[in-house]
Amino acid sequence: MLLNVKEESVKIYNTTMDYVVFGKGMKPLVIIPGLSLKRVKGAGYSLAYMYKIFAQDYRVYIFDRKEAVTEEYNVREIAEDTAYAMKELGISKSHMFGVSQGGMIAQYLAIDYPELVEKLVLGVTLSRQNETVKNAIETWIEFAENKDLEGFIEDMLFKMYSPSYMKKYRMLIPLMLQMSKNVDLNRFTILAKSCLTCNTYEELHKIKCPVLVIGGKLDKVVTGEASEEIAEKLQCEIYMYEELGHAAYEEARDFNERIYGFFQKS
């Protein structure tokens, strides 16, 4: 099933953007992941496994942010760079899934480049700022600036995952610390700050393609209400996980099945 998993890069002006591509279908599926210490490069096979349900019917592209990022980089600019990469690769009329910060980017893509997005799924994301996301992002930035990886990882896990998941996997924190030793914390800080620039709410009416919103009712990062207000504004389909939070996309076994089912509807 997981044929032709490749890690590639595309030139973006004077820098590059990494992406993973896999699957043997003809239809393009663009996945834009959320803010993370981890990079797409080096994670090709794990990402392909995570999204294996799409491999039969789609040619799947998972885009990172561009390599060279500078202060004041905002979400709309990330969307512009992603659009540039898609056009360079000949991708248009894609099915698109954006999660968390990736969902913010995906909204701007659907608003500013409607020719690139045929159907859209927005997972655990927001269209405008609220105190919960400001507190979460500012806390993570503080940990990163202080180079306190242990504090960051513990806080991130607490905010993203359900108590039952935390109880089960808390012993992995030392491994996560070991794997995160060489991450670029300055890059992470710039991208984290960009989350606080998302403000699509008053432009959501410009999104004309079919949209599915998926959220977690107990989301401690962007809030469940943020997902609900996007769906209300768009008058689109929505599914909320009542007992899950921001990491519903990892915890809910049927999360990708819901996305697949939405994309396959005529």
Side-chain angles (χ1 to χ4, degrees), residues 1-7 20-22 39-52 62:
M1 181 68 76
L2 302 180
L3 300 175
N4 300 320
V5 180
K6 296 179 181 178
E7 296 184 359
V20 168
V21 59
F22 68 94
R39 302 288 295 273
V40 164
K41 188 175 183 178
Y45 283 94
S46 62
L47 287 168
Y49 181 78
M50 182 176 182
Y51 294 111
K52 62 184 181 294
I62 305 177

Side-chain angles (χ1 to χ4, degrees), residues 88-251:
E88 283 292 294
L89 295 172
I91 303 170
S92 64
K93 296 183 178 179
S94 70
H95 286 177
M96 182 174 290
F97 166 50
V99 58
S100 192
Q101 186 190 49
M104 304 175 199
I105 297 163
Q107 289 170 67
Y108 279 116
L109 281 163
I111 290 167
D112 294 337
Y113 305 93
E115 72 279 6
L116 299 182
V117 188
E118 188 175 79
K119 278 191 170 185
L120 177 63
V121 175
L122 300 172
V124 292
T125 192
L126 53 71
S127 61
R128 57 183 175 181
Q129 301 305 304
N130 58 59
E131 287 305 311
T132 299
V133 74
K134 287 178 184 176
N135 290 335
I137 294 295
E138 287 171 0
T139 298
W140 294 346
I141 289 171
E142 184 177 355
F143 280 127
E145 290 179 339
N146 291 329
K147 295 182 171 51
D148 184 357
L149 272 175
E150 184 172 1
F152 167 78
I153 289 173
E154 288 194 359
D155 189 78
M156 179 268 294
L157 291 173
F158 169 74
K159 286 186 168 74
M160 288 186 61
Y161 294 91
S162 66
S164 60
Y165 190 95
M166 280 288 291
K167 184 177 180 181
K168 189 174 181 181
Y169 292 104
R170 191 178 184 89
M171 76 277 294
L172 295 179
I173 289 178
L175 177 61
M176 295 176 68
L177 278 169
Q178 186 66 29
M179 294 173 62
S180 302
K181 274 188 175 180
N182 297 318
V183 299
D184 186 343
L185 291 175
N186 182 60
R187 173 187 173 84
F188 172 83
T189 299
I190 291 171
L191 294 176
K193 288 178 180 177
S194 75
C195 289
L196 302 179
T197 68
C198 181
N199 188 18
T200 62
Y201 185 75
E202 297 300 336
E203 296 187 79
L204 287 175
H205 66 278
K206 297 178 183 177
I207 298 179
K208 303 302 182 183
C209 65
V211 181
L212 167 64
V213 173
I214 308 180
K217 200 76 172 178
L218 305 182
D219 196 323
K220 297 174 185 174
V221 178
V222 300
T223 75
E225 290 80 6
S227 291
E228 292 169 338
E229 74 171 7
I230 293 173
E232 182 178 3
K233 186 80 168 179
L234 288 173
Q235 291 296 292
C236 70
E237 188 176 342
I238 182 171
Y239 184 85
M240 296 294 293
Y241 288 95
E242 296 290 330
E243 303 300 325
L244 295 178
H246 197 67
Y249 62 96
E250 288 188 17
E251 291 194 62

Side-chain angles (χ1 to χ4, degrees), residues 15-37:
T15 185
T16 58
M17 179 181 286
D18 293 331
Y19 67 95
V20 168
V21 59
F22 68 94
K24 56 184 182 179
M26 296 296 293
K27 183 71 178 176
L29 168 60
V30 172
I31 297 177
I32 309 177
L35 176 71
S36 177
L37 290 175

